[in-house]
Short mmCIF file of all heavy atoms in Angstrom, two decimals:
data_model
loop_
_atom_site.label_atom_id
_atom_site.label_comp_id
_atom_site.label_asym_id
_atom_site.label_seq_id
_atom_site.Cartn_x
_atom_site.Cartn_y
_atom_site.Cartn_z
N MET A 1 13.91 10.50 -14.50
CA MET A 1 14.63 10.38 -13.26
C MET A 1 13.70 10.46 -12.05
O MET A 1 14.00 9.93 -11.02
CB MET A 1 15.68 11.49 -13.24
CG MET A 1 16.88 11.21 -12.40
SD MET A 1 17.66 9.68 -12.92
CE MET A 1 19.14 9.84 -12.06
N GLU A 2 12.56 11.12 -12.22
CA GLU A 2 11.61 11.26 -11.11
C GLU A 2 11.11 9.91 -10.63
O GLU A 2 10.95 9.68 -9.44
CB GLU A 2 10.44 12.14 -11.53
CG GLU A 2 9.45 12.37 -10.42
CD GLU A 2 8.32 13.27 -10.85
OE1 GLU A 2 8.58 14.25 -11.56
OE2 GLU A 2 7.18 12.97 -10.47
N GLY A 3 10.83 8.99 -11.57
CA GLY A 3 10.35 7.66 -11.20
C GLY A 3 11.37 6.91 -10.37
O GLY A 3 11.03 6.18 -9.44
N PHE A 4 12.65 7.10 -10.68
CA PHE A 4 13.71 6.45 -9.91
C PHE A 4 13.73 6.98 -8.48
O PHE A 4 13.81 6.21 -7.53
CB PHE A 4 15.06 6.69 -10.59
CG PHE A 4 16.21 6.05 -9.87
CD1 PHE A 4 16.37 4.68 -9.88
CD2 PHE A 4 17.13 6.82 -9.17
CE1 PHE A 4 17.43 4.08 -9.22
CE2 PHE A 4 18.19 6.23 -8.51
CZ PHE A 4 18.34 4.86 -8.53
N ALA A 5 13.61 8.28 -8.32
CA ALA A 5 13.59 8.88 -6.98
C ALA A 5 12.37 8.39 -6.21
O ALA A 5 12.45 8.13 -5.01
CB ALA A 5 13.60 10.40 -7.07
N LEU A 6 11.24 8.28 -6.88
CA LEU A 6 10.02 7.81 -6.24
C LEU A 6 10.22 6.38 -5.76
O LEU A 6 9.82 6.03 -4.65
CB LEU A 6 8.84 7.90 -7.20
CG LEU A 6 7.49 7.48 -6.65
CD1 LEU A 6 7.11 8.33 -5.45
CD2 LEU A 6 6.43 7.60 -7.71
N ALA A 7 10.84 5.54 -6.57
CA ALA A 7 11.08 4.15 -6.17
C ALA A 7 11.96 4.10 -4.93
O ALA A 7 11.74 3.28 -4.04
CB ALA A 7 11.73 3.38 -7.32
N LEU A 8 12.96 4.97 -4.85
CA LEU A 8 13.80 5.01 -3.66
C LEU A 8 12.99 5.42 -2.44
O LEU A 8 13.15 4.87 -1.35
CB LEU A 8 14.97 5.98 -3.85
CG LEU A 8 16.05 5.54 -4.82
CD1 LEU A 8 17.10 6.63 -4.97
CD2 LEU A 8 16.70 4.25 -4.37
N ASP A 9 12.09 6.38 -2.59
CA ASP A 9 11.22 6.78 -1.49
C ASP A 9 10.35 5.62 -1.04
O ASP A 9 10.19 5.40 0.16
CB ASP A 9 10.33 7.96 -1.88
CG ASP A 9 11.08 9.27 -1.96
OD1 ASP A 9 12.21 9.35 -1.45
OD2 ASP A 9 10.53 10.21 -2.54
N GLU A 10 9.80 4.90 -1.98
CA GLU A 10 8.94 3.77 -1.64
C GLU A 10 9.72 2.69 -0.89
O GLU A 10 9.22 2.12 0.07
CB GLU A 10 8.28 3.22 -2.89
CG GLU A 10 7.24 4.17 -3.45
CD GLU A 10 6.75 3.78 -4.82
OE1 GLU A 10 7.32 2.86 -5.44
OE2 GLU A 10 5.78 4.41 -5.27
N LYS A 11 10.94 2.44 -1.32
CA LYS A 11 11.76 1.47 -0.61
C LYS A 11 12.04 1.93 0.81
O LYS A 11 11.96 1.14 1.75
CB LYS A 11 13.07 1.23 -1.35
CG LYS A 11 12.92 0.41 -2.59
CD LYS A 11 14.26 0.19 -3.26
CE LYS A 11 14.09 -0.64 -4.52
NZ LYS A 11 15.39 -0.93 -5.15
N SER A 12 12.32 3.20 0.98
CA SER A 12 12.58 3.69 2.33
C SER A 12 11.32 3.64 3.18
O SER A 12 11.38 3.40 4.38
CB SER A 12 13.18 5.10 2.29
OG SER A 12 12.24 6.05 1.87
N TRP A 13 10.15 3.87 2.55
CA TRP A 13 8.89 3.76 3.30
C TRP A 13 8.72 2.34 3.85
O TRP A 13 8.32 2.15 4.99
CB TRP A 13 7.69 4.09 2.42
CG TRP A 13 7.56 5.52 2.01
CD1 TRP A 13 8.16 6.61 2.58
CD2 TRP A 13 6.78 6.02 0.95
NE1 TRP A 13 7.78 7.75 1.92
CE2 TRP A 13 6.94 7.41 0.91
CE3 TRP A 13 5.96 5.41 0.00
CZ2 TRP A 13 6.31 8.21 -0.03
CZ3 TRP A 13 5.33 6.20 -0.94
CH2 TRP A 13 5.49 7.60 -0.95
N VAL A 14 9.02 1.35 3.02
CA VAL A 14 8.87 -0.04 3.45
C VAL A 14 9.85 -0.35 4.57
O VAL A 14 9.48 -0.96 5.58
CB VAL A 14 9.05 -1.02 2.27
CG1 VAL A 14 9.07 -2.46 2.75
CG2 VAL A 14 7.95 -0.82 1.24
N VAL A 15 11.08 0.08 4.42
CA VAL A 15 12.09 -0.16 5.46
C VAL A 15 11.65 0.49 6.77
O VAL A 15 11.67 -0.13 7.83
CB VAL A 15 13.47 0.37 5.02
CG1 VAL A 15 14.46 0.37 6.17
CG2 VAL A 15 13.99 -0.46 3.85
N ARG A 16 11.23 1.73 6.69
CA ARG A 16 10.80 2.45 7.89
C ARG A 16 9.54 1.83 8.50
O ARG A 16 9.43 1.71 9.72
CB ARG A 16 10.61 3.92 7.58
CG ARG A 16 11.91 4.65 7.33
CD ARG A 16 11.78 6.09 6.92
NE ARG A 16 10.63 6.77 7.45
CZ ARG A 16 9.97 7.73 6.81
NH1 ARG A 16 10.35 8.14 5.62
NH2 ARG A 16 8.93 8.31 7.37
N ALA A 17 8.59 1.44 7.65
CA ALA A 17 7.36 0.81 8.14
C ALA A 17 7.70 -0.50 8.83
O ALA A 17 7.12 -0.82 9.87
CB ALA A 17 6.38 0.59 7.00
N ARG A 18 8.63 -1.27 8.28
CA ARG A 18 9.04 -2.53 8.89
C ARG A 18 9.63 -2.28 10.28
O ARG A 18 9.51 -3.11 11.17
CB ARG A 18 10.08 -3.22 8.01
CG ARG A 18 10.39 -4.62 8.48
CD ARG A 18 11.47 -5.36 7.69
NE ARG A 18 11.41 -5.20 6.26
CZ ARG A 18 12.33 -4.53 5.55
NH1 ARG A 18 13.34 -3.95 6.13
NH2 ARG A 18 12.23 -4.44 4.24
N GLU A 19 10.25 -1.13 10.46
CA GLU A 19 10.85 -0.78 11.76
C GLU A 19 9.83 -0.17 12.72
O GLU A 19 10.18 0.25 13.80
CB GLU A 19 12.01 0.19 11.54
CG GLU A 19 13.17 -0.44 10.78
CD GLU A 19 14.22 0.56 10.34
OE1 GLU A 19 13.99 1.79 10.44
OE2 GLU A 19 15.27 0.11 9.87
N GLY A 20 8.56 -0.09 12.29
CA GLY A 20 7.52 0.39 13.17
C GLY A 20 7.08 1.82 12.97
O GLY A 20 6.30 2.36 13.75
N ASP A 21 7.54 2.46 11.91
CA ASP A 21 7.19 3.86 11.63
C ASP A 21 5.80 3.91 10.98
O ASP A 21 5.62 3.60 9.81
CB ASP A 21 8.24 4.47 10.70
CG ASP A 21 8.02 5.94 10.42
OD1 ASP A 21 6.90 6.46 10.64
OD2 ASP A 21 8.98 6.59 9.98
N ALA A 22 4.81 4.30 11.78
CA ALA A 22 3.43 4.34 11.29
C ALA A 22 3.25 5.36 10.17
O ALA A 22 2.45 5.14 9.25
CB ALA A 22 2.48 4.65 12.44
N ALA A 23 3.98 6.46 10.22
CA ALA A 23 3.87 7.48 9.17
C ALA A 23 4.35 6.94 7.82
O ALA A 23 3.81 7.30 6.77
CB ALA A 23 4.67 8.73 9.55
N ALA A 24 5.34 6.08 7.84
CA ALA A 24 5.83 5.48 6.60
C ALA A 24 4.77 4.57 6.00
O ALA A 24 4.53 4.58 4.78
CB ALA A 24 7.12 4.71 6.84
N PHE A 25 4.10 3.76 6.84
CA PHE A 25 3.04 2.91 6.31
C PHE A 25 1.88 3.76 5.81
O PHE A 25 1.26 3.44 4.80
CB PHE A 25 2.55 1.89 7.34
CG PHE A 25 1.65 0.86 6.73
CD1 PHE A 25 2.18 -0.19 6.00
CD2 PHE A 25 0.28 0.95 6.85
CE1 PHE A 25 1.35 -1.12 5.39
CE2 PHE A 25 -0.56 0.02 6.26
CZ PHE A 25 -0.02 -1.02 5.53
N GLU A 26 1.60 4.84 6.49
CA GLU A 26 0.55 5.75 6.04
C GLU A 26 0.89 6.33 4.66
O GLU A 26 0.01 6.47 3.81
CB GLU A 26 0.36 6.88 7.04
CG GLU A 26 -0.76 7.84 6.66
CD GLU A 26 -0.96 8.94 7.68
OE1 GLU A 26 -0.24 8.99 8.70
OE2 GLU A 26 -1.86 9.76 7.45
N ALA A 27 2.16 6.62 4.42
CA ALA A 27 2.59 7.12 3.11
C ALA A 27 2.34 6.06 2.03
O ALA A 27 1.87 6.39 0.93
CB ALA A 27 4.06 7.52 3.14
N ILE A 28 2.63 4.81 2.35
CA ILE A 28 2.36 3.72 1.41
C ILE A 28 0.86 3.63 1.14
O ILE A 28 0.41 3.54 -0.01
CB ILE A 28 2.90 2.38 1.96
CG1 ILE A 28 4.42 2.42 2.07
CG2 ILE A 28 2.42 1.21 1.10
CD1 ILE A 28 5.01 1.28 2.89
N TYR A 29 0.08 3.67 2.21
CA TYR A 29 -1.38 3.60 2.08
C TYR A 29 -1.89 4.75 1.21
O TYR A 29 -2.67 4.53 0.28
CB TYR A 29 -2.02 3.66 3.47
CG TYR A 29 -3.52 3.66 3.43
CD1 TYR A 29 -4.22 2.47 3.38
CD2 TYR A 29 -4.23 4.85 3.43
CE1 TYR A 29 -5.61 2.46 3.33
CE2 TYR A 29 -5.62 4.85 3.38
CZ TYR A 29 -6.30 3.66 3.34
OH TYR A 29 -7.67 3.67 3.27
N ASN A 30 -1.46 5.95 1.51
CA ASN A 30 -1.93 7.12 0.75
C ASN A 30 -1.53 7.04 -0.72
O ASN A 30 -2.26 7.49 -1.59
CB ASN A 30 -1.40 8.41 1.36
CG ASN A 30 -2.05 8.72 2.69
OD1 ASN A 30 -3.16 8.29 2.97
ND2 ASN A 30 -1.35 9.46 3.52
N ARG A 31 -0.38 6.45 -0.99
CA ARG A 31 0.09 6.34 -2.37
C ARG A 31 -0.72 5.33 -3.19
O ARG A 31 -0.96 5.53 -4.37
CB ARG A 31 1.56 5.94 -2.35
CG ARG A 31 2.13 5.62 -3.69
CD ARG A 31 2.87 6.79 -4.25
NE ARG A 31 3.53 6.39 -5.47
CZ ARG A 31 3.39 7.02 -6.61
NH1 ARG A 31 2.66 8.10 -6.67
NH2 ARG A 31 4.00 6.61 -7.68
N TYR A 32 -1.13 4.24 -2.56
CA TYR A 32 -1.70 3.12 -3.32
C TYR A 32 -3.18 2.85 -3.08
O TYR A 32 -3.78 2.09 -3.84
CB TYR A 32 -0.90 1.84 -3.05
CG TYR A 32 0.47 1.92 -3.64
CD1 TYR A 32 1.57 2.18 -2.85
CD2 TYR A 32 0.66 1.80 -5.01
CE1 TYR A 32 2.84 2.28 -3.39
CE2 TYR A 32 1.91 1.90 -5.57
CZ TYR A 32 3.00 2.14 -4.75
OH TYR A 32 4.24 2.25 -5.30
N GLU A 33 -3.78 3.41 -2.07
CA GLU A 33 -5.15 3.06 -1.71
C GLU A 33 -6.14 3.31 -2.85
O GLU A 33 -6.95 2.44 -3.18
CB GLU A 33 -5.57 3.83 -0.44
CG GLU A 33 -6.94 3.44 0.07
CD GLU A 33 -8.06 4.29 -0.48
OE1 GLU A 33 -7.79 5.42 -0.91
OE2 GLU A 33 -9.21 3.82 -0.48
N ARG A 34 -6.09 4.46 -3.47
CA ARG A 34 -7.06 4.78 -4.53
C ARG A 34 -6.91 3.86 -5.74
O ARG A 34 -7.90 3.39 -6.30
CB ARG A 34 -6.89 6.23 -4.98
CG ARG A 34 -7.38 7.21 -3.96
CD ARG A 34 -7.14 8.59 -4.46
NE ARG A 34 -8.38 9.34 -4.35
CZ ARG A 34 -8.51 10.58 -4.70
NH1 ARG A 34 -7.50 11.25 -5.18
NH2 ARG A 34 -9.67 11.18 -4.55
N ARG A 35 -5.67 3.61 -6.13
CA ARG A 35 -5.43 2.74 -7.28
C ARG A 35 -5.88 1.32 -6.99
O ARG A 35 -6.47 0.65 -7.85
CB ARG A 35 -3.96 2.75 -7.68
CG ARG A 35 -3.56 4.00 -8.41
CD ARG A 35 -2.22 3.83 -9.02
NE ARG A 35 -1.25 4.54 -8.19
CZ ARG A 35 0.04 4.52 -8.39
NH1 ARG A 35 0.56 3.83 -9.38
NH2 ARG A 35 0.85 5.21 -7.62
N LEU A 36 -5.58 0.84 -5.80
CA LEU A 36 -5.99 -0.51 -5.43
C LEU A 36 -7.50 -0.62 -5.37
O LEU A 36 -8.09 -1.58 -5.88
CB LEU A 36 -5.36 -0.91 -4.10
CG LEU A 36 -5.65 -2.32 -3.63
CD1 LEU A 36 -5.15 -3.35 -4.65
CD2 LEU A 36 -5.02 -2.56 -2.27
N TYR A 37 -8.14 0.38 -4.75
CA TYR A 37 -9.60 0.39 -4.69
C TYR A 37 -10.20 0.35 -6.10
O TYR A 37 -11.11 -0.43 -6.37
CB TYR A 37 -10.11 1.62 -3.93
CG TYR A 37 -11.61 1.76 -4.01
CD1 TYR A 37 -12.42 1.09 -3.12
CD2 TYR A 37 -12.20 2.54 -5.00
CE1 TYR A 37 -13.81 1.20 -3.19
CE2 TYR A 37 -13.58 2.66 -5.08
CZ TYR A 37 -14.38 1.98 -4.19
OH TYR A 37 -15.74 2.08 -4.28
N ALA A 38 -9.68 1.19 -6.99
CA ALA A 38 -10.22 1.25 -8.35
C ALA A 38 -10.07 -0.10 -9.06
O ALA A 38 -10.98 -0.56 -9.75
CB ALA A 38 -9.52 2.35 -9.15
N PHE A 39 -8.92 -0.74 -8.86
CA PHE A 39 -8.68 -2.05 -9.47
C PHE A 39 -9.68 -3.07 -8.94
O PHE A 39 -10.32 -3.80 -9.70
CB PHE A 39 -7.24 -2.49 -9.19
CG PHE A 39 -6.94 -3.87 -9.67
CD1 PHE A 39 -6.77 -4.12 -11.03
CD2 PHE A 39 -6.83 -4.92 -8.78
CE1 PHE A 39 -6.49 -5.40 -11.48
CE2 PHE A 39 -6.57 -6.20 -9.22
CZ PHE A 39 -6.39 -6.45 -10.58
N ILE A 40 -9.82 -3.13 -7.62
CA ILE A 40 -10.74 -4.09 -7.02
C ILE A 40 -12.18 -3.78 -7.40
O ILE A 40 -12.96 -4.70 -7.67
CB ILE A 40 -10.55 -4.13 -5.49
CG1 ILE A 40 -9.16 -4.67 -5.15
CG2 ILE A 40 -11.62 -4.98 -4.82
CD1 ILE A 40 -8.79 -4.56 -3.68
N TYR A 41 -12.52 -2.52 -7.46
CA TYR A 41 -13.89 -2.14 -7.85
C TYR A 41 -14.20 -2.63 -9.27
O TYR A 41 -15.28 -3.14 -9.53
CB TYR A 41 -14.08 -0.63 -7.75
CG TYR A 41 -15.46 -0.20 -8.17
CD1 TYR A 41 -16.55 -0.43 -7.35
CD2 TYR A 41 -15.67 0.42 -9.40
CE1 TYR A 41 -17.83 -0.05 -7.73
CE2 TYR A 41 -16.94 0.80 -9.79
CZ TYR A 41 -18.02 0.57 -8.96
OH TYR A 41 -19.27 0.94 -9.35
N ARG A 42 -13.22 -2.49 -10.17
CA ARG A 42 -13.44 -2.99 -11.54
C ARG A 42 -13.67 -4.50 -11.54
O ARG A 42 -14.44 -5.02 -12.33
CB ARG A 42 -12.26 -2.62 -12.44
CG ARG A 42 -12.26 -1.17 -12.86
CD ARG A 42 -11.28 -0.88 -13.98
NE ARG A 42 -9.91 -1.28 -13.70
CZ ARG A 42 -9.01 -0.54 -13.07
NH1 ARG A 42 -9.34 0.66 -12.64
NH2 ARG A 42 -7.78 -0.97 -12.88
N LEU A 43 -13.00 -5.21 -10.66
CA LEU A 43 -13.17 -6.66 -10.58
C LEU A 43 -14.50 -7.05 -9.93
O LEU A 43 -15.17 -7.97 -10.39
CB LEU A 43 -12.03 -7.30 -9.77
CG LEU A 43 -10.65 -7.29 -10.39
CD1 LEU A 43 -9.64 -7.84 -9.39
CD2 LEU A 43 -10.62 -8.10 -11.67
N MET A 44 -14.85 -6.34 -8.86
CA MET A 44 -16.00 -6.73 -8.05
C MET A 44 -17.30 -6.06 -8.50
O MET A 44 -18.37 -6.64 -8.37
CB MET A 44 -15.76 -6.39 -6.57
CG MET A 44 -14.52 -7.02 -5.97
SD MET A 44 -14.56 -8.82 -5.97
CE MET A 44 -15.91 -9.12 -4.85
N GLY A 45 -17.21 -4.81 -8.92
CA GLY A 45 -18.40 -4.09 -9.34
C GLY A 45 -19.28 -3.60 -8.19
O GLY A 45 -20.38 -3.13 -8.41
N ASN A 46 -18.76 -3.72 -6.98
CA ASN A 46 -19.53 -3.32 -5.81
C ASN A 46 -18.64 -2.44 -4.92
O ASN A 46 -17.59 -2.90 -4.47
CB ASN A 46 -19.98 -4.56 -5.05
CG ASN A 46 -20.79 -4.24 -3.82
OD1 ASN A 46 -20.29 -3.62 -2.89
ND2 ASN A 46 -22.04 -4.67 -3.81
N PRO A 47 -19.05 -1.20 -4.65
CA PRO A 47 -18.18 -0.29 -3.89
C PRO A 47 -17.90 -0.75 -2.46
O PRO A 47 -16.78 -0.59 -1.97
CB PRO A 47 -18.91 1.05 -3.91
CG PRO A 47 -20.30 0.75 -4.32
CD PRO A 47 -20.29 -0.54 -5.08
N GLU A 48 -18.88 -1.34 -1.80
CA GLU A 48 -18.66 -1.79 -0.43
C GLU A 48 -17.66 -2.95 -0.38
O GLU A 48 -16.77 -2.99 0.47
CB GLU A 48 -19.98 -2.20 0.24
CG GLU A 48 -20.92 -1.05 0.51
CD GLU A 48 -21.80 -0.71 -0.70
OE1 GLU A 48 -21.89 -1.51 -1.65
OE2 GLU A 48 -22.38 0.39 -0.69
N ASP A 49 -17.82 -3.90 -1.31
CA ASP A 49 -16.88 -5.02 -1.38
C ASP A 49 -15.48 -4.52 -1.72
O ASP A 49 -14.49 -4.99 -1.14
CB ASP A 49 -17.32 -6.04 -2.41
CG ASP A 49 -18.56 -6.82 -1.99
OD1 ASP A 49 -18.91 -6.78 -0.79
OD2 ASP A 49 -19.17 -7.46 -2.86
N ALA A 50 -15.40 -3.58 -2.64
CA ALA A 50 -14.09 -3.04 -3.03
C ALA A 50 -13.43 -2.35 -1.84
O ALA A 50 -12.22 -2.51 -1.61
CB ALA A 50 -14.23 -2.08 -4.20
N TYR A 51 -14.20 -1.60 -1.08
CA TYR A 51 -13.65 -0.92 0.09
C TYR A 51 -13.15 -1.95 1.11
O TYR A 51 -12.03 -1.83 1.62
CB TYR A 51 -14.71 -0.02 0.73
CG TYR A 51 -14.23 0.64 2.00
CD1 TYR A 51 -13.40 1.76 1.96
CD2 TYR A 51 -14.58 0.13 3.24
CE1 TYR A 51 -12.94 2.35 3.13
CE2 TYR A 51 -14.12 0.71 4.41
CZ TYR A 51 -13.30 1.82 4.35
OH TYR A 51 -12.84 2.39 5.50
N ASP A 52 -13.97 -2.95 1.40
CA ASP A 52 -13.59 -3.97 2.38
C ASP A 52 -12.33 -4.71 1.95
O ASP A 52 -11.42 -4.94 2.76
CB ASP A 52 -14.72 -4.97 2.59
CG ASP A 52 -15.90 -4.38 3.35
OD1 ASP A 52 -15.75 -3.30 3.97
OD2 ASP A 52 -16.98 -5.01 3.32
N LEU A 53 -12.27 -5.10 0.69
CA LEU A 53 -11.10 -5.83 0.20
C LEU A 53 -9.85 -4.96 0.18
O LEU A 53 -8.74 -5.44 0.46
CB LEU A 53 -11.37 -6.41 -1.18
CG LEU A 53 -12.33 -7.60 -1.20
CD1 LEU A 53 -12.72 -7.96 -2.62
CD2 LEU A 53 -11.69 -8.80 -0.50
N THR A 54 -10.02 -3.69 -0.11
CA THR A 54 -8.88 -2.77 -0.09
C THR A 54 -8.34 -2.68 1.33
O THR A 54 -7.12 -2.77 1.56
CB THR A 54 -9.29 -1.38 -0.60
OG1 THR A 54 -9.74 -1.50 -1.95
CG2 THR A 54 -8.14 -0.40 -0.55
N GLN A 55 -9.22 -2.50 2.29
CA GLN A 55 -8.79 -2.41 3.69
C GLN A 55 -8.15 -3.72 4.14
O GLN A 55 -7.10 -3.71 4.81
CB GLN A 55 -9.97 -2.05 4.60
CG GLN A 55 -10.57 -0.69 4.31
CD GLN A 55 -9.54 0.41 4.32
OE1 GLN A 55 -8.80 0.57 5.28
NE2 GLN A 55 -9.48 1.17 3.25
N ASP A 56 -8.73 -4.84 3.78
CA ASP A 56 -8.16 -6.15 4.13
C ASP A 56 -6.76 -6.31 3.57
O ASP A 56 -5.87 -6.84 4.23
CB ASP A 56 -9.04 -7.29 3.63
CG ASP A 56 -10.34 -7.45 4.41
OD1 ASP A 56 -10.47 -6.83 5.49
OD2 ASP A 56 -11.22 -8.18 3.92
N THR A 57 -6.57 -5.84 2.35
CA THR A 57 -5.27 -5.93 1.71
C THR A 57 -4.21 -5.17 2.49
O THR A 57 -3.11 -5.67 2.73
CB THR A 57 -5.34 -5.41 0.26
OG1 THR A 57 -6.28 -6.20 -0.47
CG2 THR A 57 -3.98 -5.45 -0.42
N PHE A 58 -4.56 -3.96 2.92
CA PHE A 58 -3.58 -3.17 3.68
C PHE A 58 -3.34 -3.73 5.07
O PHE A 58 -2.21 -3.69 5.57
CB PHE A 58 -4.00 -1.70 3.73
CG PHE A 58 -3.65 -0.96 2.48
CD1 PHE A 58 -4.60 -0.68 1.52
CD2 PHE A 58 -2.35 -0.57 2.22
CE1 PHE A 58 -4.29 -0.02 0.34
CE2 PHE A 58 -2.00 0.09 1.06
CZ PHE A 58 -2.98 0.36 0.12
N VAL A 59 -4.36 -4.30 5.69
CA VAL A 59 -4.17 -4.94 6.99
C VAL A 59 -3.21 -6.12 6.85
O VAL A 59 -2.28 -6.29 7.65
CB VAL A 59 -5.52 -5.38 7.59
CG1 VAL A 59 -5.33 -6.30 8.78
CG2 VAL A 59 -6.35 -4.17 7.98
N LYS A 60 -3.40 -6.91 5.80
CA LYS A 60 -2.51 -8.05 5.58
C LYS A 60 -1.10 -7.60 5.22
O LYS A 60 -0.12 -8.20 5.66
CB LYS A 60 -3.08 -8.96 4.49
CG LYS A 60 -4.27 -9.74 4.98
CD LYS A 60 -4.83 -10.65 3.93
CE LYS A 60 -6.05 -11.38 4.49
NZ LYS A 60 -6.58 -12.35 3.55
N ALA A 61 -0.99 -6.55 4.43
CA ALA A 61 0.33 -6.01 4.09
C ALA A 61 1.06 -5.53 5.34
O ALA A 61 2.25 -5.79 5.51
CB ALA A 61 0.20 -4.87 3.08
N TYR A 62 0.34 -4.85 6.22
CA TYR A 62 0.94 -4.37 7.46
C TYR A 62 1.42 -5.55 8.31
O TYR A 62 2.53 -5.52 8.84
CB TYR A 62 -0.07 -3.52 8.24
CG TYR A 62 0.52 -2.89 9.46
CD1 TYR A 62 1.29 -1.75 9.37
CD2 TYR A 62 0.30 -3.45 10.72
CE1 TYR A 62 1.85 -1.17 10.51
CE2 TYR A 62 0.85 -2.88 11.85
CZ TYR A 62 1.62 -1.74 11.73
OH TYR A 62 2.16 -1.18 12.86
N GLY A 63 0.60 -6.57 8.39
CA GLY A 63 0.97 -7.75 9.16
C GLY A 63 2.16 -8.51 8.57
O GLY A 63 2.90 -9.18 9.28
N ALA A 64 2.34 -8.39 7.27
CA ALA A 64 3.44 -9.10 6.60
C ALA A 64 4.74 -8.32 6.60
O ALA A 64 5.78 -8.88 6.20
CB ALA A 64 3.03 -9.40 5.15
N LEU A 65 4.74 -7.10 7.04
CA LEU A 65 5.95 -6.29 7.01
C LEU A 65 7.16 -6.97 7.67
O LEU A 65 8.25 -6.93 7.10
CB LEU A 65 5.72 -4.93 7.67
CG LEU A 65 5.04 -3.90 6.78
CD1 LEU A 65 4.67 -2.67 7.61
CD2 LEU A 65 5.92 -3.50 5.62
N PRO A 66 6.99 -7.61 8.81
CA PRO A 66 8.18 -8.25 9.43
C PRO A 66 8.77 -9.37 8.57
O PRO A 66 9.94 -9.73 8.74
CB PRO A 66 7.64 -8.83 10.75
CG PRO A 66 6.42 -8.03 11.04
CD PRO A 66 5.84 -7.66 9.70
N ARG A 67 7.99 -9.90 7.66
CA ARG A 67 8.48 -11.00 6.81
C ARG A 67 9.01 -10.53 5.47
O ARG A 67 9.41 -11.35 4.64
CB ARG A 67 7.35 -12.02 6.60
CG ARG A 67 6.88 -12.67 7.89
CD ARG A 67 5.87 -13.77 7.66
NE ARG A 67 4.69 -13.36 6.91
CZ ARG A 67 3.61 -12.81 7.43
NH1 ARG A 67 3.55 -12.54 8.72
NH2 ARG A 67 2.57 -12.51 6.68
N THR A 68 9.03 -9.21 5.23
CA THR A 68 9.55 -8.72 3.96
C THR A 68 11.07 -8.75 3.97
O THR A 68 11.71 -8.64 5.01
CB THR A 68 9.08 -7.30 3.66
OG1 THR A 68 9.50 -6.42 4.71
CG2 THR A 68 7.57 -7.23 3.52
N ALA A 69 11.62 -8.91 2.79
CA ALA A 69 13.08 -8.97 2.66
C ALA A 69 13.68 -7.59 2.89
O ALA A 69 13.21 -6.61 2.34
CB ALA A 69 13.45 -9.48 1.27
N PRO A 70 14.72 -7.52 3.71
CA PRO A 70 15.33 -6.21 3.99
C PRO A 70 16.07 -5.62 2.80
O PRO A 70 16.30 -4.43 2.76
CB PRO A 70 16.29 -6.50 5.14
CG PRO A 70 16.49 -7.95 5.15
CD PRO A 70 15.31 -8.58 4.48
N ASP A 71 16.42 -6.41 1.82
CA ASP A 71 17.18 -5.91 0.66
C ASP A 71 16.28 -5.74 -0.55
O ASP A 71 16.49 -6.30 -1.60
CB ASP A 71 18.33 -6.83 0.33
CG ASP A 71 17.86 -8.24 -0.04
OD1 ASP A 71 16.74 -8.60 0.34
OD2 ASP A 71 18.62 -8.95 -0.70
N LEU A 72 15.26 -4.92 -0.41
CA LEU A 72 14.30 -4.69 -1.48
C LEU A 72 15.04 -4.43 -2.75
O LEU A 72 14.67 -4.41 -3.80
CB LEU A 72 13.40 -3.53 -1.12
CG LEU A 72 12.61 -3.72 0.16
CD1 LEU A 72 11.95 -2.40 0.55
CD2 LEU A 72 11.57 -4.77 0.00
#
C-alpha cells in the first residue's frame, strides 16, 4: 500500500509544480536525481557528462510542465 500512497504524492507534486510550486518540483528532483544520474552514468561512463545530462533533463522537464496532462 505504501507504493500506492507514494504514487499519489508524486501525482500531487506534478500538479503543484505545474501550478508554479517550486517546492513540489524540488521534491520531484530530490526523489529522482540520484537514480537518473546513476542511470546516465552507466550509459555515459563519465561523471561530468552524467551530471550535465541529469541537469539538462530536469531543466527540460520543468519547461515541459505546462504541457503535461492534468489528468495524470
Side-chain angles (χ1 to χ4, degrees):
M1 206 56 167
E2 182 179 320
F4 180 71
L6 182 59
L8 289 177
D9 286 346
E10 290 169 351
K11 286 181 180 183
S12 69
W13 291 342
V14 172
V15 169
R16 289 176 31 213
R18 188 183 318 112
E19 294 170 350
D21 184 341
F25 190 78
E26 182 179 0
I28 295 167
Y29 177 86
N30 289 335
R31 172 98 173 127
Y32 291 103
E33 185 269 338
R34 288 178 129 180
R35 284 192 257 176
L36 183 60
Y37 172 85
F39 175 75
I40 294 171
Y41 179 74
R42 284 193 305 273
L43 291 175
M44 303 298 294
N46 180 297
E48 292 85 15
D49 289 345
Y51 176 79
D52 289 345
L53 287 170
T54 299
Q55 296 307 306
D56 288 348
T57 300
F58 279 102
V59 168
K60 287 181 181 184
Y62 185 80
L65 280 171
R67 298 186 303 275
T68 59
D71 61 339
L72 301 170

